[in-house]
Amino acid sequence: MQTTPDGRPIPPPHAGERENLESWLDFHRATLELKCAGLDDRQLRLASVTSSSMTLLGLVQHLAEVERNWFQRVFAGEDVPLVYGEDSSDGFALSPDRGIDAALDLWRAEVARGKELIADASLEDSGALSEREAGHVGDQGVSLRWILVHLIEEYARHNGHADLIREGIDGATGA
């Protein structure tokens, strides 16, 4: 697999649907991690603007919750607790005693567990949504294909946020 100069995996230009979806998701996962690289704890806790509580550390935590929700709860039907508990159901709330190393370890564990759960699944296999989620989507179930596309979209959107946060911290742009 080829990589960008900063080490992110380049999705193959000629691949099947499954490989394309998983490769683009891995690319966006690597982009999130890259946005956090080289910053200290204080910087990782800085919000992009004063009216927002969104931080790079919070984004890592949030995406750990997203990974768990879509792969474990929805796709595999597992009854698992929130990664960060009820006090941070979306993952954005920061704890003074949890830094980036712990957050990245949890996030990587959620990514690995999701990959395990879908390894032998078909893109047509479905997971069941909660009643609340079904109300947003318009159906009680979603295919693995839908979940992968949704996660690509989720990461791409939040990587845009990460771009702005990182630029505000140290001027770094791109990637």
Side-chain angles (χ1 to χ4, degrees):
M1 173 176 288
Q2 292 193 330
T3 61
T4 59
D6 55 35
R8 292 175 295 152
I10 298 172
H14 304 283
E17 180 182 17
R18 174 76 179 248
E19 187 178 359
N20 261 305
L21 291 171
E22 290 180 354
S23 295
W24 276 106
L25 183 52
D26 285 342
F27 175 83
H28 283 291
R29 287 169 171 151
T31 300
L32 175 68
E33 197 163 359
L34 180 66
K35 284 294 168 186
C36 297
L39 297 177
D40 63 33
D41 189 65
R42 182 192 63 77
Q43 291 170 312
L44 290 159
R45 294 171 184 274
L46 290 174
S48 57
V49 294
T50 56
S51 61
S52 173
S53 61
M54 188 178 295
T55 66
L56 289 170
L57 178 56
L59 283 171
V60 171
Q61 294 178 171
H62 171 68
L63 287 160
E65 292 287 3
V66 167
E67 294 270 353
R68 178 174 285 190
N69 183 61
W70 287 102
F71 291 122
Q72 293 180 52
R73 287 191 198 96
V74 173
F75 187 72
E78 295 178 353
D79 184 17
V80 292
L82 294 165
V83 176
Y84 294 102
E86 293 298 325
D87 291 340
S88 183
S89 63
D90 60 6
F92 284 111
L94 303 182
S95 171
D97 60 339
R98 185 178 46 252
I100 192 65
D101 292 337
L104 283 171
D105 286 348
L106 285 168
W107 171 73
R108 288 181 191 120
E110 295 304 319
V111 168
R113 179 68 178 134
K115 287 181 175 191
E116 288 173 18
L117 291 170
I118 68 170
D120 297 324
S122 162
L123 290 175
E124 287 78 29
D125 289 346
S126 289
L129 295 169
S130 70
E131 193 172 308
R132 184 182 63 78
E133 290 169 324
H136 296 299
V137 174
D139 197 299
Q140 191 63 42
V142 290
S143 69
L144 176 56
R145 176 184 290 107
W146 190 97
I147 291 169
L148 290 170
V149 170
H150 174 65
L151 261 71
I152 293 166
E153 173 272 330
E154 180 95 6
Y155 272 91
R157 182 165 41 92
H158 286 313
N159 282 337
H161 298 135
D163 282 339
L164 293 172
I165 296 168
R166 181 68 190 247
E167 185 176 5
I169 292 169
D170 65 1
T173 59

